[in-house]
Amino acid sequence: ETGVTQTPRHLVMGMTNKKSLKCEQHLGHNAMYWYKQSAKKPLELMFVYNFKEQTENNSVPSRFSPECPNSSHLFLHLHTLQPEDSALYLCASSPLGRGTDTQYFGPGTRLTVL
Amino acid sequence: GESVGLHLPTLSVQEGDNSIINCAYSNSASDYFIWYKQESGKGPQFIIDIRSNMDKRQGQRVTVLLNKTVKHLSLQIAATQPGDSAVYFCAENIRGRETSGSRLTFGEGTQLTVNP
């Protein structure tokens, strides 16, 4: 266990559904991240939060909406997704959000969009 | 564009042999590198890291070598075990992003298979 938990582990949703992914870290870190991992592709950074403030949005479509209520919790709200959004969504955290921080990952949510 | 990449997508070794997984990067401003291991159904797990002011760093059964001249990173696993079977990623941080959060760029990954 890395100290980063994600729920649900698996999610199947239709294109008109609204769902949310949850991430919680128990490491006392101050930075949290959302990544998308598709088959045969490198991890793609989506969002970065540092001390609850969003510091990076990597040109992510608005159908993905992040929320960070505190340094321990991170959500990814999903609505009107497309089948190509099916992927493994990974959450990570790091101590201070500095360039040389090590990021620790959760197990991911396997999302399937029908 | 600049990217982090791996020379081989798959590597198959016999149990007990040493494994070497390679990674090439093209950004000379990168100052921090990490190796991650990802087993099936799990998230990436930190293995070892190295800063650009070092050439070599050792952990338990793993060694990372950094050659800044040719922009090459390698992960050596000694006495490879079946439990080492996984996808291995290298990741780099580009210097200059100290205030905007850790910004890692990941390679595509190498699938390591250990045969008994």
Side-chain angles (χ1 to χ4, degrees):
Chain A
E1 295 296 327
T2 62
V4 182
T5 59
Q6 289 186 245
T7 55
R9 294 294 308 277
H10 300 273
L11 178 62
V12 179
M13 60 186 290
M15 289 190 285
T16 59
N17 292 157
K18 291 184 179 181
K19 297 287 184 183
S20 295
L21 309 184
K22 179 182 177 181
C23 175
E24 183 174 0
Q25 58 95 0
H26 311 274
L27 301 169
H29 290 170
N30 292 299
M32 297 188 77
Y33 313 80
W34 279 117
Y35 286 90
K36 177 183 179 182
Q37 186 177 36
S38 304
K40 309 294 185 185
K41 294 175 67 176
L43 270 69
E44 302 173 56
L45 179 65
M46 301 175 71
F47 301 103
V48 181
Y49 277 83
N50 218 1
F51 292 92
K52 301 188 298 179
E53 298 298 320
Q54 187 180 127
T55 57
E56 188 149 355
N57 176 337
N58 200 23
S59 301
V60 180
S62 60
R63 58 186 183 269
F64 295 91
S65 176
E67 178 188 0
C68 188
N70 55 62
S71 293
S72 298
H73 294 85
L74 184 65
F75 296 89
L76 188 62
H77 304 301
L78 316 171
H79 63 97
T80 59
L81 294 191
Q82 304 298 311
E84 59 264 30
D85 296 322
S86 298
L88 181 68
Y89 287 85
L90 290 160
C91 174
S93 70
S94 71
L96 295 174
R98 293 177 306 190
T100 51
D101 272 1
T102 298
Q103 294 181 29
Y104 296 88
F105 287 84
T109 294
R110 174 67 63 185
L111 174 67
T112 302
V113 181
L114 302 177
Chain B
E2 294 176 324
S3 65
V4 176
L6 290 153
H7 294 309
L8 295 173
T10 62
L11 176 64
S12 185
V13 300
Q14 291 299 121
E15 182 178 358
D17 287 353
N18 296 333
S19 303
I20 300 176
I21 300 172
N22 296 305
C23 184
Y25 66 97
S26 57
N27 195 323
S28 58
S30 297
D31 63 349
Y32 180 58
F33 304 87
I34 306 176
W35 279 102
Y36 285 95
K37 170 187 179 183
Q38 187 172 22
E39 297 175 87
S40 180
K42 297 184 179 181
Q45 175 188 359
F46 170 85
I47 302 174
I48 192 168
D49 60 0
I50 188 168
R51 299 183 190 277
S52 59
N53 60 352
M54 301 174 68
D55 297 323
K56 178 180 179 179
R57 191 164 188 220
Q58 289 183 293
Q60 186 176 13
R61 282 202 307 120
V62 295
T63 301
V64 56
L65 298 177
L66 176 62
N67 185 329
K68 294 180 286 294
T69 302
V70 295
K71 298 186 182 67
H72 184 267
L73 189 71
S74 69
L75 176 70
Q76 300 178 1
I77 305 174
T80 314
Q81 303 168 1
D84 295 326
S85 294
V87 176
Y88 290 80
F89 300 92
C90 63
E92 64 175 330
N93 175 74
I94 300 172
R95 188 183 308 126
R97 302 187 70 93
E98 294 297 327
T99 59
S100 64
S102 177
R103 177 66 159 87
L104 295 177
T105 301
F106 289 83
E108 295 172 353
T110 291
Q111 173 69 59
L112 173 66
T113 301
V114 182
N115 301 309

CSV table of all heavy atoms in Angstrom, one decimal, chain A residues 59-97:
chain,number,residue,atom,x,y,z
A,59,SER,N,-4.7,21.1,-20.5
A,59,SER,CA,-5.6,21.2,-21.7
A,59,SER,C,-6.6,20.0,-21.7
A,59,SER,O,-6.8,19.4,-22.7
A,59,SER,CB,-4.8,21.1,-23.0
A,59,SER,OG,-3.8,22.2,-23.1
A,60,VAL,N,-7.1,19.8,-20.5
A,60,VAL,CA,-8.1,18.7,-20.4
A,60,VAL,C,-9.5,19.2,-20.7
A,60,VAL,O,-9.9,20.3,-20.4
A,60,VAL,CB,-8.1,18.2,-18.9
A,60,VAL,CG1,-9.1,17.1,-18.7
A,60,VAL,CG2,-6.7,17.8,-18.5
A,61,PRO,N,-10.3,18.4,-21.5
A,61,PRO,CA,-11.6,18.8,-21.8
A,61,PRO,C,-12.5,19.1,-20.6
A,61,PRO,O,-12.3,18.5,-19.6
A,61,PRO,CB,-12.2,17.6,-22.6
A,61,PRO,CG,-11.0,16.9,-23.1
A,61,PRO,CD,-9.9,17.1,-22.1
A,62,SER,N,-13.4,20.0,-20.8
A,62,SER,CA,-14.2,20.5,-19.7
A,62,SER,C,-15.2,19.4,-19.1
A,62,SER,O,-15.8,19.5,-18.1
A,62,SER,CB,-15.1,21.7,-20.1
A,62,SER,OG,-15.9,21.4,-21.1
A,63,ARG,N,-15.3,18.3,-19.8
A,63,ARG,CA,-16.2,17.2,-19.3
A,63,ARG,C,-15.5,16.5,-18.1
A,63,ARG,O,-16.1,15.7,-17.5
A,63,ARG,CB,-16.5,16.2,-20.4
A,63,ARG,CG,-15.3,15.5,-21.1
A,63,ARG,CD,-15.7,14.7,-22.3
A,63,ARG,NE,-14.6,14.0,-22.9
A,63,ARG,CZ,-14.0,14.4,-23.9
A,63,ARG,NH1,-14.3,15.6,-24.4
A,63,ARG,NH2,-13.0,13.7,-24.5
A,64,PHE,N,-14.2,16.8,-17.9
A,64,PHE,CA,-13.5,16.4,-16.7
A,64,PHE,C,-13.4,17.6,-15.8
A,64,PHE,O,-12.8,18.6,-16.2
A,64,PHE,CB,-12.1,15.9,-17.0
A,64,PHE,CG,-12.1,14.6,-17.8
A,64,PHE,CD1,-12.1,14.7,-19.2
A,64,PHE,CD2,-12.1,13.4,-17.2
A,64,PHE,CE1,-12.1,13.5,-20.0
A,64,PHE,CE2,-12.1,12.2,-18.0
A,64,PHE,CZ,-12.1,12.3,-19.4
A,65,SER,N,-13.9,17.5,-14.5
A,65,SER,CA,-13.9,18.6,-13.6
A,65,SER,C,-13.3,18.2,-12.3
A,65,SER,O,-13.9,17.4,-11.6
A,65,SER,CB,-15.3,19.2,-13.4
A,65,SER,OG,-15.3,20.2,-12.5
A,66,PRO,N,-12.1,18.7,-12.0
A,66,PRO,CA,-11.5,18.3,-10.7
A,66,PRO,C,-12.0,19.2,-9.5
A,66,PRO,O,-12.5,20.3,-9.7
A,66,PRO,CB,-10.0,18.6,-11.0
A,66,PRO,CG,-10.0,19.7,-11.9
A,66,PRO,CD,-11.2,19.6,-12.7
A,67,GLU,N,-11.8,18.6,-8.3
A,67,GLU,CA,-12.2,19.3,-7.1
A,67,GLU,C,-11.2,18.9,-6.0
A,67,GLU,O,-11.0,17.7,-5.9
A,67,GLU,CB,-13.6,19.0,-6.7
A,67,GLU,CG,-14.0,19.7,-5.4
A,67,GLU,CD,-15.4,19.3,-4.9
A,67,GLU,OE1,-16.0,18.4,-5.5
A,67,GLU,OE2,-15.8,19.7,-3.8
A,68,CYS,N,-10.7,19.8,-5.3
A,68,CYS,CA,-9.8,19.5,-4.2
A,68,CYS,C,-10.2,20.3,-3.0
A,68,CYS,O,-9.7,21.4,-2.7
A,68,CYS,CB,-8.3,19.9,-4.6
A,68,CYS,SG,-7.1,19.3,-3.5
A,69,PRO,N,-11.0,19.7,-2.1
A,69,PRO,CA,-11.5,20.4,-1.0
A,69,PRO,C,-10.5,20.6,0.1
A,69,PRO,O,-10.6,21.5,0.9
A,69,PRO,CB,-12.7,19.5,-0.5
A,69,PRO,CG,-12.3,18.1,-1.0
A,69,PRO,CD,-11.6,18.3,-2.3
A,70,ASN,N,-9.5,19.7,0.2
A,70,ASN,CA,-8.4,19.9,1.2
A,70,ASN,C,-7.2,19.1,0.6
A,70,ASN,O,-7.3,18.4,-0.4
A,70,ASN,CB,-8.9,19.4,2.5
A,70,ASN,CG,-9.4,17.9,2.5
A,70,ASN,OD1,-8.7,17.0,2.2
A,70,ASN,ND2,-10.7,17.8,2.9
A,71,SER,N,-6.1,19.2,1.3
A,71,SER,CA,-4.9,18.6,0.8
A,71,SER,C,-4.9,17.0,0.8
A,71,SER,O,-4.1,16.4,0.2
A,71,SER,CB,-3.7,19.0,1.6
A,71,SER,OG,-3.5,20.4,1.4
A,72,SER,N,-5.9,16.4,1.4
A,72,SER,CA,-5.9,15.0,1.5
A,72,SER,C,-6.9,14.3,0.5
A,72,SER,O,-6.9,13.1,0.3
A,72,SER,CB,-6.3,14.5,2.9
A,72,SER,OG,-5.4,15.0,3.9
A,73,HIS,N,-7.8,15.1,-0.1
A,73,HIS,CA,-8.8,14.6,-0.9
A,73,HIS,C,-8.8,15.3,-2.3
A,73,HIS,O,-8.7,16.5,-2.4
A,73,HIS,CB,-10.2,14.8,-0.3
A,73,HIS,CG,-10.4,14.0,1.0
A,73,HIS,ND1,-10.0,14.4,2.2
A,73,HIS,CD2,-10.9,12.7,1.2
A,73,HIS,CE1,-10.3,13.5,3.1
A,73,HIS,NE2,-10.8,12.5,2.5
A,74,LEU,N,-9.1,14.5,-3.3
A,74,LEU,CA,-9.1,15.0,-4.6
A,74,LEU,C,-10.2,14.2,-5.4
A,74,LEU,O,-10.3,13.0,-5.2
A,74,LEU,CB,-7.8,14.7,-5.4
A,74,LEU,CG,-7.6,15.3,-6.8
A,74,LEU,CD1,-7.7,16.8,-6.8
A,74,LEU,CD2,-6.3,14.8,-7.4
A,75,PHE,N,-11.0,14.9,-6.1
A,75,PHE,CA,-12.1,14.3,-6.9
A,75,PHE,C,-12.0,14.6,-8.3
A,75,PHE,O,-11.4,15.7,-8.7
A,75,PHE,CB,-13.5,14.8,-6.4
A,75,PHE,CG,-13.8,14.5,-5.0
A,75,PHE,CD1,-13.4,15.3,-3.9
A,75,PHE,CD2,-14.5,13.3,-4.7
A,75,PHE,CE1,-13.7,15.0,-2.6
A,75,PHE,CE2,-14.8,13.0,-3.4
A,75,PHE,CZ,-14.4,13.8,-2.3
A,76,LEU,N,-12.5,13.7,-9.2
A,76,LEU,CA,-12.6,14.0,-10.6
A,76,LEU,C,-14.0,13.8,-11.0
A,76,LEU,O,-14.5,12.6,-11.0
A,76,LEU,CB,-11.6,13.1,-11.4
A,76,LEU,CG,-11.5,13.5,-12.9
A,76,LEU,CD1,-11.0,14.9,-13.1
A,76,LEU,CD2,-10.6,12.4,-13.6
A,77,HIS,N,-14.8,14.8,-11.3
A,77,HIS,CA,-16.2,14.7,-11.7
A,77,HIS,C,-16.2,14.5,-13.2
A,77,HIS,O,-15.6,15.3,-14.0
A,77,HIS,CB,-16.9,16.0,-11.3
A,77,HIS,CG,-16.8,16.3,-9.8
A,77,HIS,ND1,-17.3,15.4,-8.8
A,77,HIS,CD2,-16.3,17.4,-9.1
A,77,HIS,CE1,-17.0,15.9,-7.6
A,77,HIS,NE2,-16.5,17.1,-7.8
A,78,LEU,N,-17.0,13.6,-13.6
A,78,LEU,CA,-17.1,13.2,-15.0
A,78,LEU,C,-18.6,13.4,-15.5
A,78,LEU,O,-19.5,13.0,-14.8
A,78,LEU,CB,-16.8,11.7,-15.1
A,78,LEU,CG,-15.6,11.2,-14.4
A,78,LEU,CD1,-15.5,9.7,-14.4
A,78,LEU,CD2,-14.3,11.8,-14.9
A,79,HIS,N,-18.7,14.0,-16.7
A,79,HIS,CA,-20.0,14.1,-17.3
A,79,HIS,C,-19.9,14.2,-18.8
A,79,HIS,O,-19.0,14.7,-19.4
A,79,HIS,CB,-20.7,15.4,-16.7
A,79,HIS,CG,-20.0,16.6,-17.1
A,79,HIS,ND1,-20.4,17.4,-18.2
A,79,HIS,CD2,-19.0,17.3,-16.5
A,79,HIS,CE1,-19.6,18.5,-18.2
A,79,HIS,NE2,-18.8,18.4,-17.2
A,80,THR,N,-20.9,13.5,-19.4
A,80,THR,CA,-20.9,13.4,-20.9
A,80,THR,C,-19.6,13.0,-21.5
A,80,THR,O,-19.1,13.7,-22.4
A,80,THR,CB,-21.4,14.8,-21.6
A,80,THR,OG1,-20.5,15.8,-21.2
A,80,THR,CG2,-22.8,15.1,-21.1
A,81,LEU,N,-19.1,11.9,-21.0
A,81,LEU,CA,-17.8,11.4,-21.5
A,81,LEU,C,-18.0,10.7,-22.8
A,81,LEU,O,-19.1,10.4,-23.2
A,81,LEU,CB,-17.2,10.4,-20.5
A,81,LEU,CG,-16.7,11.0,-19.1
A,81,LEU,CD1,-15.9,10.0,-18.4
A,81,LEU,CD2,-16.0,12.3,-19.3
A,82,GLN,N,-16.9,10.5,-23.5
A,82,GLN,CA,-16.8,9.8,-24.8
A,82,GLN,C,-16.2,8.4,-24.6
A,82,GLN,O,-15.4,8.2,-23.7
A,82,GLN,CB,-16.0,10.6,-25.8
A,82,GLN,CG,-16.5,12.1,-26.0
A,82,GLN,CD,-18.0,12.1,-26.5
A,82,GLN,OE1,-18.3,11.4,-27.5
A,82,GLN,NE2,-18.8,12.9,-25.8
A,83,PRO,N,-16.4,7.5,-25.5
A,83,PRO,CA,-15.8,6.2,-25.4
A,83,PRO,C,-14.3,6.3,-25.4
A,83,PRO,O,-13.6,5.4,-24.7
A,83,PRO,CB,-16.3,5.4,-26.6
A,83,PRO,CG,-17.6,6.1,-26.9
A,83,PRO,CD,-17.5,7.5,-26.6
A,84,GLU,N,-13.7,7.2,-26.0
A,84,GLU,CA,-12.2,7.4,-26.0
A,84,GLU,C,-11.7,7.8,-24.7
A,84,GLU,O,-10.5,7.8,-24.5
A,84,GLU,CB,-11.7,8.3,-27.1
A,84,GLU,CG,-12.3,9.7,-27.0
A,84,GLU,CD,-13.5,9.9,-27.9
A,84,GLU,OE1,-14.3,8.9,-28.1
A,84,GLU,OE2,-13.7,11.1,-28.4
A,85,ASP,N,-12.6,8.2,-23.8
A,85,ASP,CA,-12.1,8.5,-22.4
A,85,ASP,C,-11.9,7.3,-21.5
A,85,ASP,O,-11.5,7.4,-20.4
A,85,ASP,CB,-13.2,9.4,-21.7
A,85,ASP,CG,-13.3,10.8,-22.4
A,85,ASP,OD1,-12.2,11.3,-22.9
A,85,ASP,OD2,-14.4,11.3,-22.5
A,86,SER,N,-12.3,6.1,-22.0
A,86,SER,CA,-12.1,4.9,-21.3
A,86,SER,C,-10.6,4.7,-21.1
A,86,SER,O,-9.8,4.8,-22.0
A,86,SER,CB,-12.6,3.7,-22.1
A,86,SER,OG,-14.0,3.8,-22.3
A,87,ALA,N,-10.2,4.5,-19.8
A,87,ALA,CA,-8.8,4.4,-19.5
A,87,ALA,C,-8.6,4.1,-18.0
A,87,ALA,O,-9.6,4.0,-17.3
A,87,ALA,CB,-8.0,5.7,-19.8
A,88,LEU,N,-7.4,4.0,-17.5
A,88,LEU,CA,-7.1,3.9,-16.1
A,88,LEU,C,-6.8,5.3,-15.6
A,88,LEU,O,-5.9,6.0,-16.2
A,88,LEU,CB,-5.9,3.0,-15.9
A,88,LEU,CG,-5.5,2.8,-14.4
A,88,LEU,CD1,-6.6,2.0,-13.7
A,88,LEU,CD2,-4.2,2.0,-14.3
A,89,TYR,N,-7.5,5.8,-14.6
A,89,TYR,CA,-7.3,7.1,-14.1
A,89,TYR,C,-6.6,7.0,-12.7
A,89,TYR,O,-7.0,6.3,-11.8
A,89,TYR,CB,-8.6,7.9,-13.9
A,89,TYR,CG,-9.1,8.3,-15.3
A,89,TYR,CD1,-9.9,7.4,-16.0
A,89,TYR,CD2,-8.8,9.5,-15.8
A,89,TYR,CE1,-10.3,7.8,-17.3
A,89,TYR,CE2,-9.2,9.9,-17.1
A,89,TYR,CZ,-10.0,9.0,-17.8
A,89,TYR,OH,-10.4,9.3,-19.1
A,90,LEU,N,-5.4,7.6,-12.7
A,90,LEU,CA,-4.5,7.4,-11.6
A,90,LEU,C,-4.4,8.8,-10.8
A,90,LEU,O,-4.3,9.8,-11.4
A,90,LEU,CB,-3.1,7.0,-12.0
A,90,LEU,CG,-3.0,5.6,-12.5
A,90,LEU,CD1,-1.7,5.5,-13.4
A,90,LEU,CD2,-3.0,4.6,-11.4
A,91,CYS,N,-4.5,8.6,-9.5
A,91,CYS,CA,-4.2,9.8,-8.6
A,91,CYS,C,-2.8,9.6,-8.0
A,91,CYS,O,-2.4,8.5,-7.7
A,91,CYS,CB,-5.3,9.8,-7.5
A,91,CYS,SG,-5.1,11.0,-6.2
A,92,ALA,N,-2.2,10.7,-7.7
A,92,ALA,CA,-0.9,10.6,-7.1
A,92,ALA,C,-0.8,11.8,-6.1
A,92,ALA,O,-1.5,12.8,-6.2
A,92,ALA,CB,0.3,10.7,-8.1
A,93,SER,N,0.2,11.7,-5.2
A,93,SER,CA,0.4,12.8,-4.3
A,93,SER,C,1.9,12.9,-4.1
A,93,SER,O,2.7,12.0,-4.3
A,93,SER,CB,-0.3,12.6,-2.9
A,93,SER,OG,0.3,11.6,-2.2
A,94,SER,N,2.4,14.1,-3.7
A,94,SER,CA,3.8,14.4,-3.4
A,94,SER,C,3.9,15.4,-2.3
A,94,SER,O,2.9,16.1,-2.0
A,94,SER,CB,4.5,14.9,-4.6
A,94,SER,OG,4.2,16.2,-5.0
A,95,PRO,N,5.0,15.4,-1.5
A,95,PRO,CA,5.1,16.2,-0.3
A,95,PRO,C,4.8,17.6,-0.5
A,95,PRO,O,3.9,18.2,0.2
A,95,PRO,CB,6.5,15.9,0.1
A,95,PRO,CG,6.9,14.6,-0.4
A,95,PRO,CD,6.2,14.5,-1.7
A,96,LEU,N,5.5,18.3,-1.3
A,96,LEU,CA,5.4,19.8,-1.4
A,96,LEU,C,5.1,20.3,-2.8
A,96,LEU,O,5.1,21.5,-3.0
A,96,LEU,CB,6.7,20.4,-0.9
A,96,LEU,CG,7.0,20.2,0.6
A,96,LEU,CD1,8.4,20.7,1.0
A,96,LEU,CD2,5.9,20.8,1.5
A,97,GLY,N,5.0,19.4,-3.7
A,97,GLY,CA,4.7,19.8,-5.1
A,97,GLY,C,5.9,20.5,-5.8
A,97,GLY,O,5.7,21.2,-6.7
